[in-house]
Amino acid sequence: MSTINVEQISKSFGAQKAVDNVSFDVEPGEIFGLLGPNGAGKTTSIRIILDIFKPDTGKVSILGGQMTEEKKNKIGYLPEERGLYQDISLDRCLIYLATLKGMDEHEAQKRISEYLEKFDLAASKKKKVKELSKGMQQKAQLITTLVHKPEIVIIDEPFSALDPVNTQMVKDILQEERARGTSIVMCTHQMHQVEALADRIALISQGKTVLYGTLANVRQQFAKEALIVRTSSALPAELPGVSEIEKTNSHNILHLVEGQKPQDILRELLTRNIVVEQFEIALPTLDEIFIEVVKNKGVSE
Amino acid sequence: MNKFWLVFLHEYKRHVMRKRFVFAILSMPLFVAFIVFVGFLSVWLQIDNKPVGYIDQYQILENPQQVPVEKKSIFSPVPSLPFADEASAKNALNAGEIQAYFNFSENYMSTGEVTMTSNEKPGANAEDDFGDFVSYNLVKGMPEPIIERLTDGSNITVRSLDGSREMGADNWMVILLPMLAGILFIIAVNISGGYLMQAVVEEKENRTMEILVTSVSPTQLMAGKVVGDLLVGLTQLVVWILFLIIGLKVAPLFIPDMGSMPAIDGKYILLIAGTMLPAFVMIAAAMGAIGATATESQEAQQMAGFFTLPIVVPFWFVSQIMFNPNGALSVGLSMFPLTAPISLPLRAGFTNIPWWQTSITITVLVILAIFSLWLSGKIFRIGMLRYGKKVSLKEAFRRS
């Protein structure tokens, strides 16, 4: 059973249609990437899922039904712009927000201490939140999102302001959460993180879903007839079946003539005694797919 | 309901444990103490305890004596010294031994005519104390009760026709209490309503609101905040009232003429609480809603003025309420929700308010307080996440 089921939701603010007939499901134990350019309607969709806004049409089902006060305790939310009380101490702020998620204070204290140790924030727990750096506040916000062991985690830009070490730690934590069976909805512009983490994605542009499926399927869908080839000696200027050879610092991209099979190219290279170090079918990166889809969408409109 | 308590406790502690709250709570009594001190200082500077002289060549005072000092006071009376003739009095004046001298005229007993001579303006107390000295010596020898009545004057008690309400000259509390309660109410409403509004705007600005509304229902959140803030305001009032009681207990030690503190009628306190508490909830909830609709704190402050201004209005009409407590204006002010918290107790000090008027006023206030909480929860839900956009009242009623 899906933990989140979004069915044809639409929402307008005045004349502007922020979300237009968007549908997707999120399964238990998966990381779901919700992608889209700025102003595409991602945050509005999330707010509808969280019952902050009511949709004009369509419906959302959370953990098998409508949002209730009890279900709020099973959701962890990390908003795009960070929301922590600035003028109270870090531990007081975290404990208060954890108890609002239904934890008893003693348990909250215990688990927050563990997280503070893990995130290297224990020494700063008595500091006021506003005295912490951006990265520290981001980690504190993540503690608020995860401390009550939610069944659904919705995170908007989880890696912003984090250094590589902390980014890796957050990635590990998200993977641990996924292994625990948590449904994670992740909104981010960092496509390489989505590639590294997400099982499935939905791409929203101008309020509409323009891509939806597993990461592998989506990349396959956008695969062009091209090869990535790295050789120890230089490639000949022309090869049969290859329309263009594009050189990069580390490898060559061979654009194939329509209908050309990659196996024939490999055979041709081997017969010419060229030592092949890398030979793979060039799948587009999510970045490229993102730009292509969003641009095309813009052009078609 | 559990989360209501969490919000309530957090809100209360968050304000009360701040340094600026402790400062605000102490600054008021310190300010009052300072004002009283300055008042004393200015009186003290005007007082000159140097003796005055008098020339009684027509033997008006018989075997004169100084007025006995009955009560301990920080200002002792100015002694009056006899002089045989004007020349010796003048010498004493020029030598700085006395600050002025009085000369009884021949027909003093029929006209009360006395001339005073001094080089500079005598102290404010010199003439009064000499007057007391003369009265005391004139009535000396009469029976004690008569002397007391002549010197102390009458103690008039004003009583309503049915005898249920009375006000003596000593019972200054009847006027002072509603005025004082009113001033404290305005200050408390402004301070704690301001805190609430500020808190909501801040939570909106720093986006804590998004975390809060995905954890608690808007109604619980708003109710917790309003009640928490109400208690912050009450804490402030209780501390101030404690200071006031201490002040009233300590002051008579220094000011013997002040008299003892009159007892306050319990019903009167109930009336004050009955009007001011729901009014507070009503105004606080409205301020919370303003915080949720305003886009920035400065704008919220300006909008809050609309609510605080009508509360002060009854003070402009104090004399009308005192002298014509049953007039249309007084009745109107005491029943209109925003002016009632100050007008009703004030009016009650001067007249018997029909029970139906009190009941209607308090009932309307309680209903409005609940309505205001409900509406602000609703406005809050719509307004909280619409950064940079205002919420119209029409929208608040229409949408969920």
Side-chain angles (χ1 to χ4, degrees), chain A residues 47 50-52 54 69 72-73 77 79 81-85 87-88 92 96 99-101 141, chain B residues 3 6-7 10 13-14 18 202-203 206-208 210-217 381 385 387:
Chain A
R47 286 177 179 168
L50 290 168
D51 199 37
I52 297 173
K54 300 272 184 214
E69 289 305 310
K72 284 183 178 176
N73 292 348
Y77 175 43
E81 289 176 75
R82 309 299 165 234
L84 292 172
Y85 289 101
D87 53 357
I88 58 175
R92 232 181 98 201
Y96 173 57
T99 52
L100 283 185
K101 284 290 185 189
Q141 191 87 55
Chain B
K3 288 182 182 175
L6 288 171
V7 176
H10 174 80
K13 282 200 219 156
R14 196 178 147 206
R18 274 185 186 183
E202 260 173 40
E203 280 167 355
N206 70 22
R207 310 304 201 240
T208 318
E210 293 197 29
I211 304 285
L212 293 179
V213 291
T214 51
S215 309
V216 199
S217 75
R381 191 189 155 90
L385 296 170
Y387 308 111

Side-chain angles (χ1 to χ4, degrees), chain A residues 4-288:
Chain A
I4 302 173
N5 179 251
V6 177
E7 253 180 79
Q8 297 178 326
I9 54 166
S10 294
K11 177 83 182 170
S12 298
F13 295 108
Q16 194 199 353
K17 200 148 198 174
V19 176
D20 188 4
N21 218 15
V22 165
S23 301
F24 57 84
D25 296 323
V26 183
E27 304 298 328
E30 78 165 341
I31 297 179
F32 184 83
L34 189 59
L35 317 175
N38 298 327
K42 296 181 306 260
T43 304
T44 306
S45 300
I46 285 177
R47 286 177 179 168
I48 292 172
I49 293 172
L50 290 168
D51 199 37
I52 297 173
F53 292 153
K54 300 272 184 214
D56 298 337
T57 56
K59 68 171 194 179
V60 172
S61 159
I62 292 271
L63 299 166
Q66 276 193 330
M67 176 70 90
T68 59
E69 289 305 310
E70 287 71 38
K71 283 182 188 172
K72 284 183 178 176
N73 292 348
K74 296 180 180 172
I75 299 173
Y77 175 43
L78 183 133
E80 186 182 0
E81 289 176 75
R82 309 299 165 234
L84 292 172
Y85 289 101
Q86 296 293 309
D87 53 357
I88 58 175
S89 66
L90 175 64
D91 60 345
R92 232 181 98 201
C93 176
L94 294 180
I95 289 168
Y96 173 57
L97 294 176
T99 52
L100 283 185
K101 284 290 185 189
M103 290 184 83
D104 85 83
E105 200 174 323
H106 183 72
E107 178 69 15
Q109 265 171 344
K110 196 172 147 245
R111 224 179 285 167
I112 283 168
S113 305
E114 289 167 13
Y115 267 108
L116 287 173
E117 286 289 341
K118 194 170 180 177
F119 279 103
D120 207 15
L121 284 173
S124 307
K125 67 176 183 182
K126 291 292 169 199
K127 279 189 186 167
K128 281 187 177 174
V129 174
K130 65 180 172 198
E131 291 164 14
L132 303 179
S133 72
K134 257 186 168 182
M136 286 165 126
Q137 289 196 33
Q138 173 71 353
K139 289 193 279 181
Q141 191 87 55
L142 268 162
I143 297 177
T144 299
T145 313
L146 299 172
V147 70
H148 55 291
K149 293 198 189 303
E151 288 179 35
I152 295 173
V153 169
I154 298 177
I155 42 177
D156 214 342
E157 294 296 349
F159 306 106
S160 69
L162 294 183
D163 60 37
V165 175
N166 283 311
T167 301
Q168 188 53 50
M169 185 176 60
V170 171
K171 278 164 82 172
D172 293 345
I173 288 174
L174 290 179
Q175 279 164 332
E176 277 168 31
E177 284 293 318
R178 170 168 61 189
R180 206 168 57 80
T182 312
S183 300
I184 301 169
V185 178
M186 181 171 74
C187 287
T188 178
H189 288 123
Q190 298 184 24
M191 292 302 154
H192 61 287
Q193 303 296 7
V194 179
E195 277 172 2
L197 288 169
D199 300 294
R200 291 190 308 132
I201 60 160
L203 178 64
I204 299 177
S205 183
Q206 294 175 2
K208 290 190 170 75
T209 321
V210 286
L211 269 183
Y212 177 49
T214 63
L215 198 61
N217 274 350
V218 169
R219 290 181 73 185
Q220 203 68 53
Q221 205 180 314
F222 281 80
K224 295 214 180 84
E225 293 182 324
L227 297 169
I228 294 172
V229 176
R230 193 154 52 87
T231 54
S232 57
S233 53
L235 279 178
E238 282 185 19
L239 277 168
V242 174
S243 59
E244 189 196 342
I245 298 177
E246 193 184 323
K247 285 186 169 43
T248 71
N249 280 345
S250 57
H251 59 263
N252 300 286
I253 299 169
L254 277 57
H255 296 274
L256 306 186
V257 173
E258 205 177 322
Q260 180 67 51
K261 286 183 180 162
Q263 287 91 333
D264 296 339
I265 305 292
L266 180 62
R267 201 172 295 123
E268 177 69 27
L269 290 173
L270 295 175
T271 46
R272 292 191 189 200
N273 281 331
I274 294 169
V275 180
V276 177
E277 291 173 343
Q278 187 187 2
F279 186 92
E280 65 176 76
I281 294 166
L283 282 179
T285 62
L286 212 45
D287 252 332
E288 289 164 333

Side-chain angles (χ1 to χ4, degrees), chain B residues 379-398:
Chain B
I379 290 178
F380 186 68
R381 191 189 155 90
I382 307 164
M384 63 196 165
L385 296 170
R386 297 188 59 187
Y387 308 111
K389 289 179 203 155
K390 287 180 203 163
V391 178
S392 69
L393 259 187
K394 214 166 108 188
E395 248 182 324
F397 279 104
R398 197 180 56 215

Side-chain angles (χ1 to χ4, degrees), chain B residues 54-62 102-116 127-128 130-139:
Chain B
Y54 67 91
I55 304 129
D56 187 13
Q57 52 189 321
Y58 304 106
Q59 305 292 316
I60 290 160
L61 304 177
E62 208 175 303
F102 297 88
N103 201 346
F104 290 98
S105 72
E106 190 176 0
N107 49 359
Y108 171 79
M109 291 309 279
S110 54
T111 63
E113 207 180 298
V114 181
T115 50
M116 184 183 82
E127 279 178 56
D128 283 352
F130 180 69
D132 288 348
F133 167 77
V134 175
S135 318
Y136 174 77
N137 282 294
L138 286 175
V139 300

Side-chain angles (χ1 to χ4, degrees), chain B residues 52-270:
Chain B
V52 292
Y54 67 91
I55 304 129
D56 187 13
Q57 52 189 321
Y58 304 106
Q59 305 292 316
I60 290 160
L61 304 177
E62 208 175 303
N63 189 19
Q65 288 168 8
Q66 297 297 328
V67 180
V69 180
E70 285 170 8
K71 298 172 205 163
K72 197 174 157 243
S73 170
I74 45 171
F75 304 122
S76 51
V78 174
S80 305
L81 305 177
F83 286 90
D85 50 48
E86 193 161 353
S88 57
K90 207 175 216 166
N91 285 341
L93 183 66
N94 287 334
E97 290 159 13
I98 52 172
Q99 50 175 317
Y101 64 85
F102 297 88
N103 201 346
F104 290 98
S105 72
E106 190 176 0
N107 49 359
Y108 171 79
M109 291 309 279
S110 54
T111 63
E113 207 180 298
V114 181
T115 50
M116 184 183 82
T117 312
S118 67
N119 286 330
E120 358 175 299
K121 194 177 179 299
N125 53 338
E127 279 178 56
D128 283 352
D129 287 353
F130 180 69
D132 288 348
F133 167 77
V134 175
S135 318
Y136 174 77
N137 282 294
L138 286 175
V139 300
K140 194 175 53 182
M142 286 186 178
E144 197 59 34
I146 296 177
I147 294 178
E148 206 170 291
R149 276 292 55 78
L150 280 171
T151 50
D152 289 357
S154 314
N155 187 5
I156 300 170
T157 298
V158 183
R159 182 171 289 157
S160 64
L161 202 57
D162 59 2
S164 63
R165 184 156 295 282
E166 59 180 49
M167 191 181 91
D170 281 345
N171 202 0
W172 40 270
M173 256 322 199
V174 172
I175 309 166
L176 189 68
L177 194 67
M179 298 278 265
L180 206 66
I183 291 168
L184 290 179
F185 175 75
I186 289 169
I187 295 171
V189 161
N190 266 305
I191 291 179
S192 29
Y195 274 143
L196 176 70
M197 196 173 66
Q198 198 70 28
V200 174
V201 174
E202 260 173 40
E203 280 167 355
K204 214 175 129 177
E205 277 175 351
N206 70 22
R207 310 304 201 240
T208 318
M209 201 56 84
E210 293 197 29
I211 304 285
L212 293 179
V213 291
T214 51
S215 309
V216 199
S217 75
T219 319
Q220 280 187 358
L221 185 65
M222 209 58 197
K225 278 179 177 298
V226 169
V227 178
D229 259 337
L230 174 71
L231 228 67
V232 173
L234 284 181
T235 307
Q236 208 156 1
L237 285 186
V238 166
V239 173
W240 286 348
I241 289 166
L242 279 178
F243 272 109
L244 183 74
I245 292 171
I246 293 169
L248 288 173
K249 292 273 178 214
V250 171
L253 301 178
F254 298 100
I255 320 163
D257 297 340
M258 199 172 141
S260 57
M261 197 170 128
I264 302 164
D265 192 359
K267 270 193 211 158
Y268 198 61
I269 298 284
L270 270 182

